[in-house]
Amino acid sequence: MRTSRIVPAAALSAIAALALAGCVDNSAAQNGGSPSSSPSIQVTKDDALAAALPEAVRSSGKLVIGMDDTYPPNEFKDAAGNPVGWEVDLANAIGSKLGVKADFAIAKFDNIIPSVTGGKDDFGMSSFTDTTEREQQVDFVNYYSAGILWASAAGKTVDPNNACGLKVAVQTATYEDTDEVPAKSAACTQAGKPAIEVLRYDTQDDATNAVILGKADALSADSPVTLYAISKTDGKLQAAGETFDVAPYGLAVAKGSTLTPTLQKTVQALIDDGTYRAILDQWGVSDGAVTTAEVNAASKG
């Protein structure tokens, strides 16, 4: 089920603006402007959960986690090129609760699910929207609710519900690319109006810069990502409309994997002991917090 939720811009206003030659570059969290993994958030190992891990994971001492680190503030690179973001912190907390290391396998977004189904990665954690279509490939352990929010150049009015004929930038293979914008475009053509031209980019930074540079009329991304992009562009972007179509994020795990119930219980344990909320509060994204770690919420309606 999807309901409307407004994510307050104030939640991310504490993140410092960074403008480089009129463009956004989220590869570096510098000058204290962005939170980073916090050693102050201590996580206690749960021996019972750790014992439930698959033998291959226990013997290796690590969970291999597929991630595309180009989607700030969820996951991106710091100045040294290391992955940071609230999902990185949550992944590290999952590893700590299970007594293993979170080993990030950085890859393009659309390569992560194949790596999970092929057994290369233990699971994927890269802002995956849980959809019934994706559930045909993987199972999801749900841990967050995010909506969709468009942004346009400052001073340029764009209505996401009346965008026929416009150019809209998205990151390739995201829900906005595969479902949301194409559905809006189809509605345009069915009404005899011009289609939306979807401009696809490998990274969210490139999609954001396309709007700043005038190549696109707007961008569409998950709400915390859009708000973060707005905060990083020194007044060059503005929200276009309000957040809509809230849906769950999920850890992508191979279908029927014995790891799924262990991850579900681990995420729930982090919710219950306050670690989860502390991480979200640190990054200013607690509006999307959940109280229950479900499995395959999309198919449950």
Side-chain angles (χ1 to χ4, degrees):
M1 181 182 296
R2 296 186 178 210
T3 56
S4 178
R5 182 195 298 261
I6 307 302
V7 180
L12 292 176
S13 61
I15 301 172
L18 174 64
L20 300 177
C23 299
V24 61
D25 179 358
N26 289 305
S27 62
Q30 47 190 332
N31 300 325
S34 298
S36 59
S37 298
S38 174
S40 64
I41 299 177
Q42 301 297 320
V43 179
T44 302
K45 178 184 176 183
D46 186 309
D47 290 333
L49 289 174
L53 283 169
E55 172 58 31
V57 174
R58 283 188 281 122
S59 61
S60 70
K62 63 183 180 180
L63 280 166
V64 181
I65 304 169
M67 179 175 285
D68 179 347
D69 58 353
T70 64
Y71 211 49
N74 301 5
E75 52 270 332
F76 60 110
K77 298 182 183 71
D78 67 9
N82 300 311
V84 294
W86 68 265
E87 289 194 324
V88 174
D89 286 354
L90 184 55
N92 283 323
I94 290 170
S96 296
K97 180 65 73 175
L98 292 169
V100 295
K101 176 185 177 183
D103 185 11
F104 297 103
I106 304 303
K108 289 180 61 176
F109 183 82
D110 51 355
N111 290 337
I112 296 173
I113 285 181
S115 291
V116 171
T117 59
K120 182 179 178 182
D121 297 343
D122 293 310
F123 66 91
M125 187 176 189
S126 201
S127 308
F128 283 105
T129 300
D130 177 358
T131 67
T132 54
E133 292 79 13
R134 283 177 174 160
E135 285 180 12
Q136 295 175 18
Q137 299 177 277
V138 293
D139 289 325
F140 286 102
V141 175
N142 305 115
Y143 61 92
Y144 192 75
S145 291
I148 298 171
L149 181 62
W150 285 33
S152 60
K156 181 181 179 67
T157 300
V158 171
D159 179 1
N161 294 315
N162 187 23
C164 303
L166 298 185
K167 297 179 180 179
V168 179
V170 297
Q171 183 175 359
T172 300
T174 58
Y175 178 82
E176 290 77 11
D177 172 26
T178 60
D179 292 74
E180 183 250 335
V181 179
K184 282 184 168 62
S185 182
C188 290
T189 56
Q190 289 169 8
K193 299 178 181 180
I196 297 173
E197 183 177 350
V198 184
L199 304 182
R200 297 175 172 88
Y201 295 91
D202 285 341
T203 71
Q204 185 58 42
D205 281 357
D206 287 342
T208 300
N209 287 334
V211 179
I212 295 171
L213 297 174
K215 296 178 181 179
D217 298 294
L219 66 86
S220 179
D222 293 355
S223 49
V225 173
T226 299
L227 287 170
Y228 187 84
I230 292 170
S231 78
K232 297 282 281 184
T233 54
D234 198 23
K236 294 178 176 63
L237 291 179
Q238 64 184 23
E242 297 180 338
T243 300
F244 59 92
D245 282 2
V246 170
Y249 279 173
L251 310 178
V253 194
K255 294 294 291 184
S257 172
T258 58
L259 181 59
T260 299
T262 302
L263 288 174
Q264 185 274 328
K265 292 174 184 177
T266 302
V267 174
Q268 188 64 53
L270 292 170
I271 292 172
D272 293 343
D273 70 17
T275 302
Y276 168 82
R277 189 56 182 255
I279 291 170
L280 268 56
D281 285 345
Q282 178 183 349
W283 285 89
V285 295
S286 57
D287 186 80
V290 298
T291 58
T292 302
E294 298 187 72
V295 174
N296 294 334
S299 62
K300 297 176 181 177

